């Protein structure tokens, strides 16, 4: 194994990192733009020993950022450093110290067994055999593939392949680990176990850093020391979860389940201090969740009155503590779970 | 250093596991043996069909030999193009190989070693079929071993170098990669004097053919093993000229392969094509 860099500098650092993509002619005809800006000008500093979360809707630029840091993609401008090395000019130094897991992927050499595949990856990193085998066996236990360890990868279920892919990220015991939506598509139990393992893995070793992207608020909240909320290539907020929560404290978080007939619009922008966003629709009940924060002494009655005027009916009401999701709504202006239909759920709360 | 060797060995091991995929030995045999044997037999059929007018048995042996050695091109050069496709599209492992210290070039190198071995095995079997079934023989006492070994070594280096170029193209152009691989296989088959001497090509194509290491390689192998080549144009060259030209062409393609591969890889990295899956 390569010697660790015991530099005091940050594990990951980006300065004015920018990346644009040229778009296809068809997209260009629709949007009128010749390129899409995946990363605008990203400044990040992640210290060694941190579990750092990147939270953002689809297309925010999370994967693009990870690809640049893992040397898969070149930036358009700016600087990206990992473990003290430049990801553009010193990719080989970076590659010795990192590992990448993309969730939701079923990658792996179908002709190999789970154990063979993990061992082989450890050899890609030059891990000596007497270290590699025990590590591979331990990881197989952690991802719960002990009974499948001698099974060929092409006979594994999707979830099992994803778990193997997760284990692969750890076989080299990397200094900096990139987890791009690692628990995507996993069952609840598996996700919980693996989250706990990531936390333990960082705690047990000195100088290990994890950069994690996720769509699961709970995952970010449970796991990350700090979280960056990003949207359209910009870092909108970056702090520890308690500090982020304090930003939107005061007032009440209210969730209404609303039965809104089609064509009904609702404008809440006029109400001072109300930042509202539509959550996921519940097609089975024909309702949608309207999430908003009321300022101190807020105007819940006013909101309800407007809803009634708009011809919508309130089916349920709940208030609760501030979560990371509230921060997200306050900062990005929409919820994360419906970012696919982002454009009809912008802040201000107008629904059709 | 030890770690680097371990890495290279793991890539070769991976190549062995994938390319010899013994779970399906039938496919393995078809792919690595039957195809070169079949093309050899088709070649034989063609020549016997016209043999009333072309009684040159020596010429046929020379072409059969070139056809046998062309197995290196189909297995290794085109094979290295397929490795990229396979890693990216089928196994979806390309980005993990790329971001590991092994790196893609070393992975390609390690896996090409296995492909070279399989290709060599195919060549030996095809030649044995020619010798015993078609009575395409030569005098072992006349074989010029030093020159033959040198030519063989140069050819192997050229093969891997061109393979890197094809792999680089596969990285940059994910979508047309299959057509590129297939097209190149056919183009090289027709261009390099495999089934007919390059003298039959139009003059401008002959010039291109003469710049390709494979054309010179097959001619050198024929000359040092059989005592004569297939191309009248090249047979005027002295041994030194032929070996010199082969060395020069090989050297040029080592440089082109290396520079070209890294240029194509960098371009693919710039355009974000390394982990694009497009086919399956
Ligand atoms: N190779 C590419 N060519 C063109 N556009 C691209 C390419 N890769 C990414 N983009 C664009 O860049 C933007 C950011 O994409 P990116 O994959 O980084 O988002 P993300 O935050 O990871 O989203 P998700 O949560 O959906 O994974 C998107 O608008 C996307 O369409
Ligand atoms: Mg992503």
């Amino acid at each position: 194994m390569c010697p660790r860099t015991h530099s005091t500098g940050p594990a990951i650092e980006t300065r004015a990192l920018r990346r644009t993509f040229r778009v296809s002619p068809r997209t260009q005809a629709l949007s009128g733009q010749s390129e899409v800006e995946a990363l605008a000008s990203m400044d990040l500093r992640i210290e060694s020993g941190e579990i750092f979360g990147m939270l953002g809707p689809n297309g925010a630029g999370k994967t693009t950022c990870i690809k640049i840091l893992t040397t898969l993609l070149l930036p358009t401008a700016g600087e990206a450093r990992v473990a003290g090395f430049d990801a553009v000019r010193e990719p080989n130094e970076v590659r010795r110290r990192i590992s990448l897991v993309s969730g939701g992927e079923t990658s792996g050499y179908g002709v190999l067994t789970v154990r063979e595949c993990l061992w082989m990856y450890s050899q890609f990193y030059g891990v000596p055999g007497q270290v590699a085998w025990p590590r591979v066996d331990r990881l197989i236990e952690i991802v719960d593939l002990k009974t499948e360890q001698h099974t060929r990868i092409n006979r594994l279920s999707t979830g099992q392949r994803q778990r193997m892919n997760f284990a692969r990220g750890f076989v080299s015991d990397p200094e900096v680990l990139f987890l791009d939506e690692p628990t995507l598509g996993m069952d609840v139990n598996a996700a919980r176990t693996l989250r706990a393992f990531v936390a333990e893995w960082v705690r047990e070793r000195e100088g290990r850093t994890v950069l994690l992207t996720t769509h699961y608020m709970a995952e970010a909240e449970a796991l990350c020391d700090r979280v960056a909320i990003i949207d359209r290539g910009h870092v909108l907020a970056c702090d520890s979860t308690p500090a982020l929560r304090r930003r939107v404290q005061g007032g009440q978080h209210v969730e209404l389940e609303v039965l809104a007939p089609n064509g009904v619009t609702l404008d809440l922008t006029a109400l001072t201090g109300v930042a509202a966003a539509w959550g996921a629709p519940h097609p089975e009940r024909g309702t949608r969740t309207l999430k908003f924060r009321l300022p101190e002494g807020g105007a819940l009655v006013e909101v309800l009155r407007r809803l009634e005027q708009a011809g919508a009916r309130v089916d349920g009401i709940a208030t609760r503590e501030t979560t990371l999701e509230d921060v997200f709504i306050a900062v990005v202006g929409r919820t994360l779970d419906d970012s696919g239909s982002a454009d009809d759920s912008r802040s201000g709360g107008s629904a059709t | 250093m030890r770690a680097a060797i371990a890495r290279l060995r793991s890539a070769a091991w991976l190549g062995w596991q994938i390319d010899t995929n013994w779970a399906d030995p039938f496919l393995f045999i078809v792919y690595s043996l039957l195809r070169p044997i079949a093309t050899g037999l088709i070649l034989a059929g063609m020549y016997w069909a016209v043999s009333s007018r072309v009684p040159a048995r020596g010429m046929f042996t020379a072409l059969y030999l070139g056809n046998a050695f062309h197995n290196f091109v189909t297995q290794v050069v085109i094979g290295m193009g397929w490795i990229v496709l396979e890693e990216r599209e089928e196994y979806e492992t390309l980005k993990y190989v790329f971001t590991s210290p092994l790196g893609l070039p070393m992975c390609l190198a390690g896996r090409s070693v296995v492909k070279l071995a399989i290709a060599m095995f195919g060549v030996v079997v095809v030649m044995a079929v020619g010798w015993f079934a078609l009575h395409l023989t030569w005098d072992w006492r006349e074989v010029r071993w030093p020159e033959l070994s040198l030519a063989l070594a140069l050819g192997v280096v050229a093969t891997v170098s061109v393979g890197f170029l094809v792999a680089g193209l596969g990285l940059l152009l994910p979508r047309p990669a299959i057509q590129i691989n297939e097209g190149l296989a056919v183009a090289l088959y027709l261009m390099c004097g495999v089934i007919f001497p390059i003298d039959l090509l139009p003059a401008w194509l002959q010039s291109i053919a003469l710049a390709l290491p494979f054309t010179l390689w097959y001619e050198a192998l024929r000359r040092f093993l059989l005592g004569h080549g297939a191309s009248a144009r090249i047979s005027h060259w002295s041994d030194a000229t032929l070996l010199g030209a082969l060395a020069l062409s090989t050297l040029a393609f080592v440089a082109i392969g290396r520079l070209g591969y890294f240029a194509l890889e960098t371009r693919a990295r710039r355009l974000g094509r390394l982990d694009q899956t497009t086919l399956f």
Side-chain angles (χ1 to χ4, degrees):
Chain A
M1 280 258 65
C2 64
R4 303 277 170 202
T5 32
H6 290 290
S7 61
T8 46
I12 296 170
E13 193 176 25
T14 70
R15 285 205 207 105
L17 193 65
R18 181 163 185 270
R19 172 70 212 205
T20 57
F21 288 103
R22 254 193 305 199
V23 300
S24 65
R26 211 183 316 153
T27 318
Q28 196 176 335
L30 285 173
S31 68
Q33 281 168 331
S34 61
E35 50 182 36
V36 45
E37 193 169 49
L39 291 179
S41 176
M42 187 171 276
D43 293 302
L44 277 181
R45 191 187 154 100
I46 303 170
E47 303 300 332
S48 169
E50 265 192 296
I51 303 183
F52 187 93
M54 270 209 266
L55 210 52
N58 292 134
K62 306 178 296 290
T63 301
T64 304
C65 181
I66 285 192
K67 280 192 199 170
I68 293 172
L69 291 167
T70 54
T71 77
L72 271 171
L73 184 69
L74 291 172
T76 308
E79 204 182 334
R81 299 184 76 81
V82 178
F85 295 97
D86 190 311
V88 175
R89 273 167 296 163
E90 302 162 297
N92 291 332
E93 295 298 333
V94 171
R95 285 171 194 152
R96 281 189 202 172
R97 294 166 175 83
I98 61 162
S99 185
L100 164 69
V101 174
S102 300
E105 267 184 14
T106 51
S107 74
Y109 299 97
V111 295
L112 303 182
T113 68
V114 173
R115 200 161 179 264
E116 283 172 342
C117 195
L118 291 176
W119 175 80
M120 192 197 56
Y121 273 109
S122 76
Q123 296 313 290
F124 283 5
Y125 288 80
V127 182
Q130 70 271 27
V131 179
W133 282 120
R135 196 183 282 163
V136 164
D137 289 334
R138 165 132 199 271
L139 285 166
I140 284 175
E141 262 173 53
I142 284 158
V143 297
D144 196 19
L145 288 176
K146 202 148 186 202
T147 36
E148 292 85 7
Q149 61 174 322
H150 299 299
T151 307
R152 276 179 173 227
I153 289 164
N154 56 13
R155 307 232 170 91
L156 295 182
S157 77
T158 310
Q160 288 167 338
R161 284 175 85 145
Q162 282 175 8
R163 295 208 301 263
M164 194 217 70
N165 192 28
F166 179 87
R168 181 193 47 72
F170 294 84
V171 287
S172 60
D173 199 18
E175 209 171 313
V176 184
L177 178 60
F178 296 88
L179 302 175
D180 195 2
E181 302 186 40
T183 58
L184 185 73
M186 283 187 193
D187 69 54
V188 180
N189 278 331
R192 194 182 304 130
T193 311
L194 298 189
R195 257 173 232 149
F197 173 67
V198 172
E200 183 194 300
W201 184 81
V202 173
R203 219 181 315 114
E204 272 181 358
R205 295 164 175 75
E206 210 181 316
R208 300 297 197 282
T209 311
V210 173
L211 172 55
L212 168 116
T213 78
T214 181
H215 281 144
Y216 304 124
M217 293 287 176
E219 185 163 281
E221 199 136 21
L223 208 50
C224 299
D225 301 307
R226 286 194 303 147
V227 171
I229 296 178
I230 66 170
D231 189 27
R232 291 158 210 241
H234 292 275
V235 179
L236 300 180
C238 176
D239 219 325
S240 67
T241 26
L244 282 173
R245 262 198 240 115
R246 277 198 296 276
R247 288 190 182 200
V248 289
Q249 221 138 55
Q252 265 183 309
H253 294 281
V254 185
E255 283 183 15
L256 299 180
E257 202 171 320
V258 179
L259 194 84
N262 284 343
V264 165
T265 56
L266 178 70
D267 189 13
L268 292 176
T269 38
L271 300 177
T272 41
V274 177
W278 287 100
H282 311 291
E284 72 285 357
R285 279 175 306 204
T287 61
R288 296 191 79 180
T289 307
L290 177 64
K291 302 176 182 184
F292 57 94
R293 184 173 61 85
L294 282 178
E296 311 277 8
L300 180 58
V301 177
E302 183 62 15
V303 173
L304 293 174
R305 202 174 56 77
R306 276 167 189 253
L307 277 167
E308 199 178 357
Q309 277 170 0
R313 211 184 72 211
V314 175
D315 253 20
I317 182 164
T319 59
R320 48 170 182 76
E321 298 294 297
T322 311
T323 64
L324 202 50
E325 181 160 19
D326 302 312
V327 183
F328 190 90
I329 294 168
V331 171
V332 180
R334 58 186 191 268
T335 61
L336 192 50
D337 51 16
D338 71 340
S339 47
S341 58
D343 286 334
D344 73 330
S345 55
R346 303 293 299 163
S347 68
S350 72
T352 41
Chain B
M1 186 62 199
R2 253 188 53 195
I5 292 170
R7 279 181 223 141
L8 196 64
R9 209 175 43 211
S10 63
W13 179 82
L14 172 65
W16 180 252
Q17 297 298 324
I18 291 176
D19 288 336
T20 61
N21 194 3
W22 294 112
D24 205 343
F26 176 73
L27 267 185
F28 171 68
I29 289 172
V30 169
Y31 189 70
S32 57
L33 294 181
L34 286 190
R35 204 173 61 174
I37 292 174
T39 55
L41 292 180
I42 291 167
L43 192 64
M46 271 159 42
Y47 264 81
W48 266 298
V50 294
S51 59
S52 50
R53 286 187 294 124
V54 189
R57 189 173 183 76
M59 170 65 106
F60 175 61
T61 310
L63 290 174
Y64 189 87
L65 186 75
N67 178 68
F69 271 87
H70 196 66
N71 198 30
F72 274 96
V73 170
T74 35
Q75 294 270 354
V76 184
V77 176
I78 307 303
M80 284 170 77
W82 286 116
I83 289 176
V84 167
L85 271 166
E86 212 171 67
E87 293 270 345
R88 183 174 48 212
E89 313 270 352
E90 187 181 346
Y91 303 128
E92 294 176 51
T93 45
L94 187 77
K95 65 175 170 184
Y96 300 121
V97 172
F98 191 85
T99 58
S100 78
L102 173 72
L104 194 54
M106 286 294 263
C107 178
L108 285 166
R111 288 195 57 183
S112 73
V113 171
V114 176
K115 293 205 180 281
L116 282 169
I118 293 173
M120 193 65 221
F121 178 58
V123 168
V124 170
V125 171
V126 173
M127 304 244 292
V129 169
W131 184 284
F132 293 109
L134 306 174
H135 306 297
L136 301 172
T137 57
W138 55 85
D139 189 346
W140 286 104
R141 285 161 307 177
E142 297 292 308
V143 175
R144 289 154 57 196
W145 293 105
E147 291 93 334
L148 186 70
S149 314
L150 182 61
L152 200 59
L154 285 169
V156 166
V157 172
T159 302
V160 175
S161 300
V162 180
F164 267 101
L165 212 55
V166 178
L169 278 174
L171 280 181
L172 182 63
L173 306 167
R175 250 175 251 267
I178 289 183
Q179 290 91 306
I180 290 175
N181 287 353
E182 299 285 5
L184 211 65
V186 174
L188 289 174
Y189 194 59
L190 298 176
M191 285 280 296
C192 297
V194 180
I195 47 166
F196 54 85
I198 59 159
D199 312 74
L200 300 180
L201 291 170
W204 63 277
L205 272 180
Q206 276 187 41
S207 320
I208 298 177
L210 284 174
L212 293 172
F214 306 118
T215 316
L216 302 165
W217 189 33
Y218 303 149
E219 279 301 299
L221 292 170
R222 286 163 180 148
R223 184 182 293 195
F224 300 127
L225 190 67
L226 308 176
H228 63 87
S231 157
R233 184 162 170 183
I234 299 178
S235 58
H236 297 303
W237 296 4
S238 71
D239 292 351
T241 311
L242 179 56
L243 276 175
L246 174 59
L248 212 65
S249 172
T250 300
L251 212 64
F253 272 89
V254 168
I256 295 170
R258 196 186 155 77
L259 292 175
Y261 171 81
F262 282 108
L264 291 162
E265 189 196 271
T266 305
R267 185 104 189 101
R269 198 177 155 210
R270 192 172 299 287
L271 295 179
R273 300 222 171 128
L274 290 171
D275 61 336
Q276 265 184 8
T277 48
T278 52
L279 301 171
F280 301 114

